[in-house]
């Protein structure tokens, strides 16, 4: 390994919501406890980004700064190299994050009272984006069978056909269930939505975090969808850059971009965000390659741990993301009891499954982007707490 994936940075009092939230939930926390919730990594940023930002500060002035030609080139080159996706740089709209973009998209393309389709259990800000504009949430739950998730196309067809259904917010790869959707799956979803005039917004923030044996297909490339699909991308999950607040939303239709910008107003990333994204996309593929191998290794380690020590807990296959989804329903606990066991007994700060919708009750989401020794200590606490009841 060329890069450091072993050092833990103590983020106490650094403004990390994940670390602060842990203290709020359990003020008498034991020393050395690390949270496993919010999706950022407990890994140091790539040295190419750290050094590159220092150099930028030494050679630039922090005046008003927008995205440069080199910035757009870096984004387009990354998408081509990683996903075989050719983007017209004009189609890119930079935002302060994917979540802010989702809020803007709902405001731009839905009226209050319109229906926004989501596929729970799913990343909960999808609900918030719809509710914020007083839209109705139309739930098309994923089908859970034999510890694996698929799409309910019949239900999607029925919901999409309803007159008030205006938008689908789709998660690809899917947080929290870890699916990397196959091209045929995307094609079917796309065809259904297009047939019924439902706008497709595909949140692909996890699309660079793909596990061995799987391939990410960009939604707009999965079928003959013309310029109908809006794809949300960012370097933030891939390179642990959430604090830089820089995302790239690909909106192919000119009138859609204009509408989006009208609602977005004068907000956008800053100079350091643009530079961090440019550095990541041009210099950090080797770091990502190692990072992915660490995540995959952590997943295999955790899966083997559960199989050996807690076989009643089922680990859902990780096809993409660094978020492991655990079916803990066999423990027979209510969601409150499960949370109590995790937080108070095991000192484990995970994302409770019910946060992602009622289908997630009895599940836990663990962020495994951390040094393996940190994960091991957590799994041991998990085992002890469950065995002691
Ligand atoms: C599916 C998904 N979309 C968006 C985000 C957050 O995006 P941002 O930080 O760019 O607002 C996350 C973070 O966990 C996520 O999992």
């Amino acid at each position: 390994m060329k890069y450091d994936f072993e050092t833990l940075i103590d983020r106490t009092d650094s403004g990390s919501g994940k670390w602060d939230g842990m203290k709020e939930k359990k003020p008498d926390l034991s020393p050395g406890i690390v949270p496993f919730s919010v999706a950022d990594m407990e890994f140091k940023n790539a040295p190419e980004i750290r050094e590159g930002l220092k150099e930028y500060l030494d050679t630039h002035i922090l005046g008003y700064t927008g995205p440069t030609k080199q910035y757009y080139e870096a984004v387009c080159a990354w998408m081509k190299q990683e996903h075989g996706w050719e983007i017209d740089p004009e189609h890119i709209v930079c935002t302060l994050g994917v979540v802010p973009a989702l809020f803007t998209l709902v405001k731009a393309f839905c009226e209050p009272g319109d229906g926004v389709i989501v596929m729970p259990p799913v990343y909960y800000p999808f609900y918030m984006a719809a509710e914020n504009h007083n839209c109705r949430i139309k739930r098309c739950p994923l089908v859970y069978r034999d510890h694996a998730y698929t799409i309910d196309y019949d239900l999607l067809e029925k919901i999409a056909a309803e007159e008030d259904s205006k938008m689908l917010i789709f998660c690809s790869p899917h947080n929290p269930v870890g699916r990397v959707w196959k091209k045929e799956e995307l094609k079917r979803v796309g065809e259904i939505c297009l047939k019924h005039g439902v706008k497709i917004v595909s949140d692909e923030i996890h699309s660079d975090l793909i596990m061995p044996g799987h391939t990410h297909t960009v939604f707009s490339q999965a079928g003959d969808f013309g310029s109908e699909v809006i794809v949300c991308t960012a370097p933030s999950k891939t390179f642990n850059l959430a604090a830089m607040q820089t995302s790239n939303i690909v909106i192919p239709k000119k009138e859609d971009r204009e509408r989006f910008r009208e609602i977005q107003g004068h907000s956008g990333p800053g100079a350091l965000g643009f530079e961090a994204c440019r550095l990541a996309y041009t210099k950090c593929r080797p770091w990502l390659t190692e990072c992915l191998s660490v995540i995959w290794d952590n997943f295999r380690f955790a899966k083997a741990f559960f199989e050996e020590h807690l076989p009643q807990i089922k680990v859902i296959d990780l096809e993409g993301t660094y978020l492991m989804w655990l079916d803990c329903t066999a423990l027979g606990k209510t969601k409150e009891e499960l949370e109590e066991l995790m937080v108070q007994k095991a000192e484990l700060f995970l994302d409770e499954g019910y946060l992602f919708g009622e289908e997630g009750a009895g599940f836990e989401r663990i962020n495994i982007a951390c040094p393996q020794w940190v994960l091991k200590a957590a799994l041991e606490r998990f085992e002890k707490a469950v065995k002691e009841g």
Side-chain angles (χ1 to χ4, degrees):
M1 284 273 176
K2 177 174 166 205
Y3 297 104
D4 177 6
F5 294 99
E6 283 295 308
T7 302
L8 180 75
I9 304 287
D10 185 345
R11 295 164 75 191
T12 309
D13 296 332
S14 70
S16 154
K18 175 162 60 168
W19 284 65
D20 292 350
M22 168 171 87
K23 264 255 163 264
E24 270 163 39
K25 273 193 171 174
K26 195 167 190 295
D28 61 337
L29 202 63
S30 303
I33 299 288
V34 177
F36 295 83
S37 53
V38 178
D40 58 22
M41 300 177 177
E42 301 304 331
F43 295 137
K44 288 175 79 168
N45 287 107
E48 291 82 356
I49 294 176
R50 301 194 319 257
E51 296 307 320
L53 287 178
K54 282 180 212 157
E55 194 187 320
Y56 182 90
L57 287 171
D58 284 341
T59 51
H60 289 72
I61 285 168
L62 295 177
Y64 292 112
T65 307
T68 57
K69 186 165 169 282
Q70 292 79 355
Y71 173 82
Y72 286 116
E73 279 170 4
V75 176
C76 293
W78 179 263
M79 297 305 163
K80 174 95 172 55
Q81 159 201 317
E82 297 297 317
H83 304 295
W85 182 28
E86 303 242 16
I87 310 177
D88 179 339
E90 289 222 337
H91 296 182
I92 300 172
V93 181
C94 301
T95 70
L96 284 168
V98 168
V99 170
L102 295 176
F103 276 63
T104 306
L105 286 161
V106 172
K107 278 201 193 110
F109 301 112
C110 299
E111 297 293 334
D114 282 349
V116 174
I117 308 172
V118 295
M119 296 191 182
V122 75
Y123 182 56
Y124 45 87
F126 286 15
Y127 305 100
M128 290 152 65
E131 280 163 353
N132 181 256
H133 194 49
N134 293 319
C135 288
R136 291 182 44 221
I137 289 159
K138 297 199 152 188
R139 317 170 88 256
C140 182
L142 297 174
V143 178
Y144 181 54
R145 197 170 294 136
D146 299 331
H147 308 297
Y149 287 88
T150 49
I151 291 166
D152 187 341
Y153 300 104
D154 292 337
L155 183 59
L156 180 63
E157 178 90 52
K158 184 173 159 291
I159 299 174
E162 290 164 5
E163 201 167 319
D164 61 344
S165 296
K166 291 286 152 44
M167 181 180 280
L168 164 72
I169 308 184
F170 190 75
C171 201
S172 179
H174 192 97
N175 170 11
V177 311
R179 275 297 318 272
V180 170
W181 304 109
K182 294 194 172 67
K183 190 172 179 185
E184 308 79 72
E185 293 174 298
L186 298 170
K187 192 163 182 282
R188 266 183 93 175
V189 171
E191 283 169 359
I192 292 171
C193 289
L194 242 62
K195 182 166 132 197
H196 297 290
V198 172
K199 203 163 198 73
I200 302 163
V201 172
S202 185
D203 177 344
E204 305 195 5
I205 197 167
H206 294 278
S207 61
D208 300 318
L209 299 157
I210 304 298
M211 296 301 120
H214 298 276
T215 307
H216 174 74
T217 303
V218 175
F219 202 131
S220 56
Q221 308 302 294
D224 199 6
F225 303 141
S227 348
E228 292 302 324
V229 183
I230 294 176
V231 180
C232 304
T233 77
S236 50
K237 299 291 155 204
T238 318
F239 296 102
N240 205 22
L241 290 174
M244 301 312 284
Q245 296 189 289
T246 302
S247 302
N248 298 296
I249 313 303
V250 182
I251 309 180
K253 273 200 207 155
K254 188 163 181 277
E255 65 267 30
D256 285 356
R257 280 197 303 281
E258 283 169 2
R259 173 77 185 136
F260 184 92
R261 288 202 167 107
E262 193 184 319
I263 303 295
Q264 183 188 24
H266 282 284
S267 91
L272 294 182
F274 289 128
E275 182 60 4
C277 175
R278 194 194 65 76
L279 289 162
Y281 282 166
T282 52
K283 305 217 180 302
C284 296
R285 196 23 159 127
W287 182 89
L288 177 61
T289 302
E290 281 192 14
C291 182
L292 287 171
S293 78
V294 172
I295 292 165
W296 182 237
D297 208 40
N298 279 356
F299 176 72
R300 285 188 309 172
F301 171 75
K303 190 171 157 68
F305 185 95
F306 281 108
E307 279 166 2
E308 187 180 339
H309 301 281
L310 292 169
Q312 66 276 46
I313 291 172
K314 298 294 173 205
V315 177
I316 310 307
D317 273 348
L318 188 74
E319 299 180 356
T321 82
Y322 49 73
L323 307 164
M324 194 169 73
W325 188 235
L326 297 177
D327 182 343
C328 304
T329 52
L331 297 180
K333 297 202 179 297
T334 63
K335 59 183 203 269
E336 293 82 9
E337 289 166 349
L338 189 58
E339 186 164 8
E340 171 84 11
L341 181 77
M342 292 300 151
V343 172
Q344 301 305 334
K345 191 104 207 240
E347 296 196 283
L348 278 176
F349 300 84
L350 317 178
D351 267 320
E352 299 298 316
Y354 67 80
L355 292 172
F356 303 91
E358 66 203 37
E359 297 77 4
F363 288 71
E364 296 284 351
R365 193 192 78 174
I366 306 190
N367 177 341
I368 57 169
C370 62
Q372 196 168 102
W373 59 269
V374 176
L375 181 61
K376 182 166 179 283
L379 296 176
E380 285 164 2
R381 295 203 302 279
F382 201 129
E383 180 190 4
K384 188 162 178 286
V386 170
K387 290 195 171 153
E388 288 173 0

